[in-house]
Amino acid sequence: LAHASAGAGQVVKAREMCFVNVHTGEKFKGEYWYDGKYVPDAFSEIKMVMRDHRTNEKFPIDPRLTDVLFVLQHRIKNYTPFEIFSGYRSPSTNALLRRLTAGVARGSLHMQGQAADITQPGTRLSNLEKTAIRMRAGGVGYYPDSDFVHVDTGRARNW
């Protein structure tokens, strides 16, 4: 991730993020990166908010996923918190969802803490999708019937 610039040649020393888990109402709001380093306490909170709400299992979230959300938010210029439908997903939850719905990958990156299904109040879902695809930072899935966009830190691809 290239250093974000604050304008007038200033280099950003901190990155902040805010998102809410739509199933639990829990929110992360704060600095997750400072002066070239990820903030461990922030990732403890992020892991909690993005846990599998069905099983309550927590799993480390890929810091690059948070960077993808940070850049996406800044490119869109909407600083309303992202709504997270799914962050980490346990293997048992992934298997359940595969039985119940189409489009759930057997080897989903959700099970590696590398994916999030998101929406953002005030941003058209199609704009969220197009902006994420243009970033070429990982996978992007468009699910308008379910009202979310999937973003992950795997190879750049879209569906």
Side-chain angles (χ1 to χ4, degrees):
L1 178 76
H3 282 287
S5 179
Q10 291 180 296
V11 174
V12 172
K13 296 225 5 141
R15 296 180 196 149
E16 293 182 2
M17 179 51 53
C18 185
F19 51 79
V20 62
N21 181 314
V22 297
H23 301 288
T24 67
E26 294 167 313
K27 184 184 280 191
F28 171 79
K29 181 180 169 92
E31 200 170 85
Y32 75 91
W33 182 92
Y34 182 78
D35 199 21
K37 295 185 179 84
Y38 292 106
V39 180
D41 288 350
F43 279 89
S44 293
E45 285 182 57
I46 290 168
K47 179 168 70 171
M48 183 68 176
V49 173
M50 292 184 77
R51 75 186 180 282
D52 184 331
H53 73 276
R54 291 173 180 86
T55 65
N56 225 25
E57 290 175 66
K58 295 183 289 270
F59 192 86
I61 300 302
D62 183 352
R64 295 173 304 157
L65 181 61
T66 312
D67 288 335
V68 167
L69 295 175
F70 176 84
V71 172
L72 183 58
Q73 188 170 56
H74 284 77
R75 289 203 178 169
I76 290 171
K77 294 180 174 53
N78 176 354
Y79 302 99
T80 304
F82 283 112
E83 295 179 344
I84 308 279
F85 289 88
S86 182
Y88 170 67
R89 195 184 291 158
S90 68
S92 61
T93 293
N94 200 69
L96 171 71
L97 293 175
R98 275 182 59 78
R99 287 192 299 274
L100 297 177
T101 59
V104 176
R106 181 184 312 277
S108 172
L109 291 177
H110 284 281
M111 297 188 295
Q112 305 301 318
Q114 293 180 264
D117 296 338
I118 62 170
T119 192
Q120 187 182 41
T123 300
R124 285 184 35 224
L125 202 61
S126 60
N127 189 34
L128 199 59
E129 177 220 17
K130 287 179 181 77
T131 304
I133 289 170
R134 280 194 301 271
M135 287 171 50
R136 306 271 313 143
V140 179
Y142 185 55
Y143 297 92
D145 292 342
S146 301
D147 197 33
F148 68 80
V149 171
H150 166 101
V151 293
D152 68 47
T153 58
R155 63 184 171 77
R157 67 216 185 284
N158 62 281
W159 60 94

